[in-house]
Amino acid sequence: MPLPVPVLPEGVDPAWLPPAAFRAVGGRRTMIRGSGPLVETVHGELAEACRRFGGRAVRDAVPDGAYDLVLGLGGDDLGDEGFAFAREDGTTTVTASDGRGLLYGLFHVVRLGEAAFTGARAREVHRPALALRMLDHWDNVAVHPVMGQVERGYAGGSLFWEDGRARPRELDRVRAYGRLLAACGINAISVNNVNVHAAEARLLTDRIGEVAEIAGALRPYGVRTHLSVSFAAPITLGGLPTADPLDRTVRGWWAEATRRVYEAIPDFGGYVVKADSEGQPGPFAYGRSHAEGANLLAAALEPFGGTVHWRAFVYDHRQDWRDRTTDRARAAYDHFVPLDGEFAAGAVLQVKHGPMDFQVREPVSPLLGAMPRTRLAVELQVTQEYTGQQRHVCWLGPMWSEVLRFRHEQGLSVGEVARGGLVAVSNVGDDPFWTGHPLAQANLYTFGRLAWQPDAEPGAVLDEWIALSFPDALEGLTGGLHAVLDGSWRTYEKYTAPLGVGFMVQPGHHYGPSVDGYEYSPWGTYHFADREGVGVDRGVASGTGYAGQYGKPWAELYESPDTCPDELLLFFHHVPYGHVLKSGKTVIQHIYDTHFEGVEEVEEARAVWGSLTGLVDPARHARVAEHYEEQLRSAREWRDQVNSYFFRKSGVPDGRGRLIH
């Protein structure tokens, strides 16, 4: 029987799957061939589209040339998720070896719209470049007294948890979420916070049934469920005196706990672990390495085909700010490169794309080019912790594309190095618009599409999102949406932290400017501004040596302020305010100019959005307009605080004579 399309609760936005996006497929004569749970999902999607738009969907009829669209399982070895697409003699055909591939093929046709049914198209084979395309939800089962229901979440409460329990009445919305994820190519999620608190820990044992309910809601759209676990679980849950990864009883405890997880969730994906990081327990307590810790869990998962994602976010968060030899940026490389080749096949080392913490501008992590014998996953942050917290428009597609196309010395791009997949911190909550800011939906969609094809052109992906989300848009709306999103990352960079220096945010919640907010803290996030200059010396010759963690040509390029790219200058070098950039401006003038320009660009974007009144539904337009008011207020605050700070530090006036508050 066809699986019914999930019905959204009243008032919940359909995001990039509004009914009108299915108009082209829904008005056709369609045949679906094959069997299996995901084929029934495809059938349900097409049956609903045909009901709305007058077409007809049938099962397993004999092809007689009477069908506009044929989707079916075929004999070609296209892999678990691949599909072939062709159009010949008036019939559009999608074939796949597996139901998941057929589902992705259907959504490919939906993206193409009328173009899928026009002219002739030679056979195209589509396969994801990365096998795992995953979201990590930092959702707390119980409301945390500091971080709330969702840590670093800016879109309301959790889709999965409320008042310490699963939300069983919300499973239709969870299924609708799985549908949105499948439509952009995401195939896995972790449903709880990497900072595992007491309530989250128990999900592994006596509350695994609640996780199974969520997994059941996501399964019809090919999304596998993962779980964040605490390294100390044998102690906190099992009552053992130790969590030593080489202890036989500890290994036995994990094996039995994992067996019970797979009894409840046969297609369970595996574990996510944050260990020896920011107070989380880990193998260092027992004198063991991170490879030994990860391999403990990989061994427990191996009989079931599961994977442990072991996060490489390990650093000294009790640093002495006066000690300029200690460098947080070095930490992941220093910890993990000596372990290359020691991780089990079922272990994936999950590495943040930059060496610090999801800043608006960082270099690509050198770890991503230094561990050829280890499966690496690249971690991005879709939730905008340091890029406006979904109150500011900041489309991150261009930044992620730069990261994924970056090539270390072996000649492989980051997208090619990521054999363990692409992972992102989710930006979704129970807000009616899913992401709080309606335009932040573009970030989630873009992540999924870049995870499928890391070398995709981000501007084309943005246009896909616009066409799907606003299928009846007039040209003015399409152009306006593209205009306000396309340059928004660089606009945000202009009015916040300059030239790769990073942070300068309010401590704790990280929203809004505080130039010295973390300057004298233990977190290792310094800019070292003084009356002579600003920036961190990370060169080999005179600094922390971080630049030497890169191979050629990057180590040489970053080593000298004369060759270092302007946008990363202050990340790698402490330079005088009068240092002349490649643009011809001094550092101090660049700071002044970009902060004024950033505010002006927000004003222009707000005006463009205001001109779209009547072209966008009123609720969406009002929400975005409200956020633009806050973004403009915040951008002005950033401009005034940053410019004032550096005017007072440097004593150098603005060369254009503008008022520096």
Side-chain angles (χ1 to χ4, degrees):
M1 292 291 292
L3 186 73
V5 174
V7 178
L8 287 170
E10 185 176 354
V12 174
D13 186 67
W16 51 87
L17 290 181
F22 289 79
R23 185 182 293 114
V25 298
R28 311 287 168 174
R29 295 161 297 174
T30 299
M31 180 174 63
I32 306 104
R33 304 183 70 184
S35 61
L38 271 75
V39 176
E40 300 308 327
T41 300
V42 171
H43 187 189
E45 290 285 341
L46 287 164
E48 174 62 17
C50 289
R51 183 190 68 80
R52 286 180 177 275
F53 298 106
R56 183 166 177 260
V58 300
R59 291 294 297 272
D60 296 314
V62 177
D64 58 5
Y67 300 100
D68 304 304
L69 175 62
V70 176
L71 300 100
L73 301 182
D76 289 341
D77 183 13
L78 296 167
D80 292 341
E81 299 183 311
F83 62 91
F85 172 87
R87 180 167 173 79
E88 186 179 6
D89 298 329
T91 300
T92 298
T93 304
V94 176
T95 56
S97 303
D98 183 85
R100 189 177 297 185
L102 199 66
L103 182 64
Y104 293 139
L106 167 64
F107 286 125
H108 178 71
V109 175
V110 172
R111 284 193 297 273
L112 290 173
E114 287 295 336
F117 303 98
T118 303
R121 296 175 72 123
R123 186 174 185 265
E124 309 163 357
V125 174
H126 298 261
R127 293 187 182 93
L130 303 177
L132 185 128
R133 307 169 304 278
M134 180 172 172
L135 290 178
D136 283 356
H137 274 258
W138 289 358
D139 294 24
N140 295 315
V141 174
V143 176
H144 188 270
V146 177
M147 293 301 180
Q149 184 75 69
V150 182
E151 182 170 336
R152 308 304 181 194
Y154 312 109
S158 172
L159 284 178
F160 312 121
W161 316 105
E162 185 178 43
D163 298 328
R165 308 294 301 181
R167 303 176 70 167
R169 292 190 298 272
E170 304 294 332
L171 289 181
D172 247 14
R173 185 165 180 187
V174 172
R175 192 156 67 93
Y177 181 45
R179 180 175 183 248
L180 287 173
L181 300 184
C184 65
I186 295 169
N187 65 359
I189 68 168
S190 177
V191 297
N192 65 310
N193 197 347
V194 293
N195 293 310
V196 181
H197 310 295
E200 287 80 51
R202 291 177 54 217
L203 295 176
L204 176 64
T205 52
D206 56 309
R207 298 182 62 180
I208 193 63
E210 296 176 57
V211 182
E213 289 181 347
I214 295 168
L218 294 167
R219 188 174 295 116
Y221 286 93
V223 179
R224 294 178 76 183
T225 300
H226 297 236
L227 196 62
S228 292
V229 296
S230 169
F231 188 79
I235 298 172
T236 59
L237 299 177
L240 299 184
T242 181
D244 184 344
L246 301 190
D247 185 278
R248 182 179 299 176
T249 57
V250 170
R251 299 176 75 84
W253 186 90
W254 276 110
E256 177 60 17
T258 302
R259 183 190 65 79
R260 291 179 179 175
V261 169
Y262 278 92
E263 278 185 355
I265 311 169
D267 60 347
F268 182 70
Y271 299 136
V272 178
V273 181
K274 178 179 178 180
D276 290 316
S277 175
E278 299 182 330
Q280 291 293 311
F284 285 170
Y286 307 97
R288 311 303 186 190
S289 74
H290 276 258
E292 289 169 319
N295 293 346
L296 161 72
L297 298 175
L301 291 159
E302 191 273 335
F304 310 99
T307 301
V308 56
H309 279 246
W310 190 272
R311 297 180 82 234
F313 188 51
V314 178
Y315 68 97
D316 177 9
H317 71 289
R318 296 183 177 89
Q319 186 174 325
D320 184 345
W321 60 268
R322 294 160 294 194
D323 176 9
R324 297 204 179 189
T325 64
T326 302
D327 185 1
R328 173 172 165 175
R330 291 187 55 105
Y333 186 103
D334 288 344
H335 279 303
F336 288 99
V337 167
L339 303 176
D340 188 30
E342 296 184 16
F343 288 89
V348 169
L349 188 61
Q350 188 164 307
V351 182
K352 289 189 178 187
H353 72 83
M356 295 295 280
D357 193 12
F358 303 127
Q359 297 303 292
V360 69
R361 178 76 70 170
E362 293 185 50
V364 173
S365 171
L367 193 60
L368 296 171
M371 299 189 70
R373 296 181 295 161
T374 303
R375 288 175 68 199
L376 301 178
V378 179
E379 181 177 300
L380 309 175
Q381 192 183 53
V382 182
T383 194
Q384 297 168 225
E385 179 181 353
Y386 294 100
T387 52
Q389 299 192 357
Q390 288 158 228
R391 284 177 268 185
H392 296 217
V393 176
C394 188
W395 176 58
L396 297 168
M399 179 175 79
W400 296 335
S401 180
E402 285 187 12
V403 169
L404 294 170
R405 295 180 189 220
F406 182 89
R407 293 184 181 274
H408 286 280
E409 60 180 327
Q410 313 93 310
L412 295 177
S413 70
V414 170
E416 293 165 330
V417 167
R419 293 180 292 116
L422 197 65
V423 182
V425 184
S426 172
N427 64 344
V428 168
D430 65 1
D431 182 89
F433 286 105
W434 300 92
T435 56
H437 197 308
L439 300 187
Q441 293 175 7
N443 279 329
L444 181 55
Y445 181 86
T446 300
F447 165 75
R449 298 292 289 134
L450 289 179
W452 180 281
Q453 183 185 346
D455 62 353
E457 173 54 47
V461 174
L462 176 60
D463 287 338
E464 270 184 19
W465 174 78
I466 292 171
L468 285 170
S469 303
F470 303 89
D472 298 315
L474 300 175
E475 185 175 341
L477 174 57
T478 300
L481 284 166
H482 193 101
V484 300
L485 284 160
D486 194 30
S488 56
W489 165 51
R490 290 178 178 85
T491 294
Y492 187 88
E493 181 181 22
K494 284 181 177 181
Y495 64 76
T496 54
L499 301 171
V501 74
F503 291 93
M504 295 185 172
V505 291
Q506 292 284 343
H509 57 76
H510 299 164
Y511 185 77
S514 179
V515 181
D516 279 342
Y518 278 109
E519 193 59 16
Y520 308 102
S521 78
W523 293 94
T525 55
Y526 314 124
H527 54 69
F528 294 136
D530 55 31
R531 68 179 185 174
E532 303 297 333
V534 59
V536 184
D537 185 353
R538 291 189 163 105
V540 174
S542 59
T544 69
Y546 168 78
Q549 292 183 337
Y550 292 87
K552 296 179 180 179
W554 301 107
E556 289 90 344
L557 190 78
Y558 294 146
E559 177 68 19
S560 169
D562 295 326
T563 55
C564 184
D566 282 352
E567 64 270 18
L568 292 171
L569 178 67
L570 301 185
F571 190 93
F572 283 99
H573 297 283
H574 188 89
V575 298
Y577 294 109
H579 176 88
V580 178
L581 301 170
K582 295 174 182 62
S583 66
K585 293 182 180 181
T586 63
V587 166
I588 190 65
Q589 194 59 45
H590 172 91
I591 291 172
Y592 295 151
D593 286 351
T594 53
H595 283 78
F596 279 106
E597 289 167 10
V599 172
E600 291 163 3
E601 289 173 12
V602 175
E603 290 172 336
E604 292 166 4
R606 181 184 65 160
V608 170
W609 183 259
S611 73
L612 303 180
T613 304
L615 300 178
V616 182
D617 66 273
R620 185 189 301 266
H621 192 276
R623 175 73 72 89
V624 174
E626 177 186 351
H627 282 311
Y628 262 124
E629 294 301 320
E630 167 56 19
Q631 182 173 357
L632 182 56
R633 182 209 63 77
S634 182
R636 288 168 174 162
E637 183 180 31
W638 273 98
R639 175 198 64 195
D640 294 345
Q641 287 203 25
V642 173
N643 282 352
S644 297
Y645 178 94
F646 284 104
F647 173 58
R648 289 169 179 168
K649 281 282 187 185
S650 69
V652 178
D654 174 33
R656 297 175 61 182
R658 292 166 294 198
L659 177 64
I660 302 290
H661 292 278

